[in-house]
Amino acid sequence: MKAPQNGSRGRPDFLLLILTLLLVGFGLVMVFSASSSVAVVAFNDALHFTKLQFIWACLGITVMFITMNIRYTVFRRYFVLFFIPVIIMLLLVPLIGVERNGARSWFGIGSLGIQPTEPAKLAIILYLGALIAKKGEKFRSFKKGLLPVIVIIGFVCGLIMLQPDLGSCLVLAASATVMILAGGANLKQFVASGTLISIFLGVVLSLALAVSEKVRDAWAYRFDRLTIFLDPLKDPQNSGWHLISSLQAFGHGGFSGAGFGEGVQKLHYLQYPYNDFIFAVIGEEFGFIGSALFLLFFLFFLWRGLIVALRCPDTYGTVVGVGIVGLFAIQTFVNIGGVTSTIPLTGVTLPFISYGGSSLLFSLISMGVLLSISREANRVEPSKRTARDEQTGTSANRVISIRS
């Protein structure tokens, strides 16, 4: 089903827009609180990270406003112009990228950096939306529908793992899964495909572990990092240190929190308190009450985004909207689950809150796409607008007659 092209565009969903801006504002406040002590020591400027985040926020909000004023069907027609450069960046970053924390995931530009996995998340959402909408009922066919999607997702995930960046790979794959299910894929085919892929990856990993000692050493290290969440005290001075510090932050925060700016664990105990572990800072400074309110606010934000997606009059807008909301929901779950030792810690940022220019910029661009979709959902057709105006005029005349 295609969106009608005639008629004026509707207003964007102002509630969703306000919620987005509030999240960005709260993120700036928390970046300042979490980074000021680190910034003073490293740069002799407590506002160093806050200033950079503010610049990215201003850029992202500007692009968001531009994007939401572009009819979202344009992204369906020209998504390739965005998708191909992202693939090229993913191909190049393992070769010429900057290595940070054991992963070559960045293109360094002076003191700034661009992480190609962030635009890749939006690129795969736009690609899948266009493909699902184009296929229509054929998407339920394995050969013509599901198989091409699996191939392109596997290709992009493989490029991300070359860096390697397991967290982003899992988030992207999970977001794509949400879109596939929302697009109406055959569930039996999807489950069977997932089972076969899992078996294939297991066999490949087993062979690599059996043949290469280097792979065995690397896997042992990563396996230990992934399973330490089950018992952080098993290695308190090494792989469990950051999780223990995170849990201590929540413990210190208690029910009502230590107070804004009064957190202790951010003082060189937590690694990157302004990035991966910023929710631990929220928990310490605002306590259980503040953390719960933040989560409720974020859930309301996700619910509003989902409502916007489901109100869209065509398949493409709905699937893309669901993909964007799913991306934020999954990434938030992975981040908060990691810092609370609920699931393995994978180094994924908290959307709109964590420090990180690439993450914030492309999160806001994604919101621009979703707000553009909301404008189509709120659009009034000329015939409906005329009928509404006539009805409004008739009602007004009745009121005048009664008053007379």
Side-chain angles (χ1 to χ4, degrees):
M1 181 173 62
K2 294 184 179 180
Q5 298 297 315
N6 59 329
S8 60
R9 300 199 66 198
R11 295 178 300 175
D13 191 282
F14 286 112
L15 177 56
L16 185 60
L17 175 60
I18 291 170
L19 292 174
T20 303
L21 296 176
L22 287 175
L23 279 174
V24 174
F26 180 68
L28 287 171
V29 171
M30 291 312 304
V31 167
F32 167 71
S33 177
S35 69
S36 56
S37 60
V38 177
V40 165
V41 174
F43 304 99
N44 197 30
D45 180 7
L47 293 173
H48 176 79
F49 292 107
T50 309
K51 291 175 183 176
L52 291 176
Q53 189 76 345
F54 180 76
I55 292 171
W56 283 109
C58 290
L59 177 61
I61 290 171
T62 301
V63 180
M64 179 183 72
F65 278 113
I66 294 172
T67 305
M68 80 178 193
N69 283 291
I70 300 173
R71 193 180 290 273
Y72 72 93
T73 51
V74 172
F75 306 128
R76 177 179 178 177
R77 292 196 297 269
Y78 301 109
F79 75 93
V80 175
L81 299 179
F82 178 56
F83 188 77
I84 292 179
V86 168
I87 296 298
I88 293 173
M89 287 193 294
L90 289 174
L91 287 168
L92 292 177
V93 72
L95 304 175
I96 62 174
V98 177
E99 184 172 344
R100 298 179 183 177
N101 303 317
R104 198 176 292 273
S105 305
W106 300 80
F107 286 118
I109 305 173
S111 59
L112 303 177
I114 295 293
Q115 193 173 11
T117 51
E118 296 301 331
K121 296 171 187 175
L122 178 57
I124 203 73
I125 287 173
L126 297 179
Y127 164 79
L128 289 181
L131 183 63
I132 292 171
K134 180 181 179 180
K135 295 291 184 180
E137 286 299 319
K138 292 181 180 179
F139 186 63
R140 294 183 61 82
S141 166
F142 177 76
K143 185 176 180 180
K144 296 182 179 180
L146 191 58
L147 183 59
V149 169
I150 292 175
V151 170
I152 195 67
I153 294 172
F155 176 65
V156 174
C157 287
L159 293 179
I160 293 174
M161 286 305 298
L162 290 177
Q163 302 174 15
D165 187 350
L166 177 62
S168 295
C169 179
L170 292 176
V171 169
L172 187 146
S175 303
T177 299
V178 170
M179 293 187 68
I180 290 172
L181 295 176
N186 186 299
L187 193 58
K188 291 182 180 179
Q189 294 178 359
F190 179 76
V191 172
S193 301
T195 303
L196 291 175
I197 292 172
S198 300
I199 294 173
F200 173 75
L201 293 176
V203 171
V204 171
L205 178 61
S206 300
L207 291 175
L209 291 173
V211 172
S212 174
E213 183 178 353
K214 184 177 180 181
V215 172
R216 285 196 296 271
D217 293 339
W219 171 252
Y221 170 77
R222 295 194 177 278
F223 184 78
D224 182 60
R225 299 281 292 183
L226 287 173
T227 57
I228 193 63
F229 80 100
L230 298 172
D231 184 13
L233 294 175
K234 179 176 65 176
D235 189 9
Q237 298 299 320
N238 190 14
S239 56
W241 171 267
H242 306 304
L243 276 177
I244 292 173
S245 298
S246 179
L247 295 176
Q248 286 176 338
F250 289 110
H252 181 220
F255 188 73
S256 58
F260 177 69
E262 299 298 322
V264 174
Q265 293 302 315
K266 65 186 181 183
L267 304 176
H268 309 284
Y269 293 101
L270 283 171
Q271 185 183 36
Y272 305 116
Y274 47 88
N275 193 280
D276 298 348
F277 286 94
I278 198 165
F279 186 70
V281 178
I282 294 174
E284 184 174 16
E285 299 190 351
F286 298 105
F288 172 80
I289 295 176
S291 301
L293 289 174
F294 169 76
L295 290 177
L296 288 173
F297 184 90
F298 208 96
L299 284 173
F300 181 58
F301 164 77
L302 294 174
W303 171 83
R304 190 63 191 178
L306 186 60
I307 292 297
V308 165
L310 296 179
R311 285 178 177 173
C312 185
D314 77 326
T315 302
Y316 175 74
T318 298
V319 173
V320 168
V322 168
I324 291 171
V325 175
L327 170 64
F328 292 143
I330 292 165
Q331 189 161 325
T332 300
F333 172 77
V334 172
N335 175 272
I336 294 177
V339 300
T340 56
S341 196
T342 305
I343 61 174
L345 186 66
T346 56
V348 172
T349 58
L350 184 59
F352 304 104
I353 309 298
S354 294
Y355 172 80
S358 299
S359 175
L360 182 59
L361 174 63
F362 286 99
S363 293
L364 287 169
I365 294 174
S366 299
M367 284 309 303
V369 175
L370 189 56
L371 288 166
S372 175
I373 292 171
S374 76
R375 295 191 65 177
E376 191 67 30
N378 294 331
R379 187 164 65 87
V380 181
E381 292 293 326
S383 57
K384 293 180 180 179
R385 185 169 64 250
T386 302
R388 184 191 65 184
D389 292 342
E390 290 177 354
Q391 184 178 4
T392 304
T394 303
S395 301
N397 291 332
R398 288 177 181 174
V399 171
I400 292 171
S401 300
I402 292 172
R403 288 181 177 177
S404 302

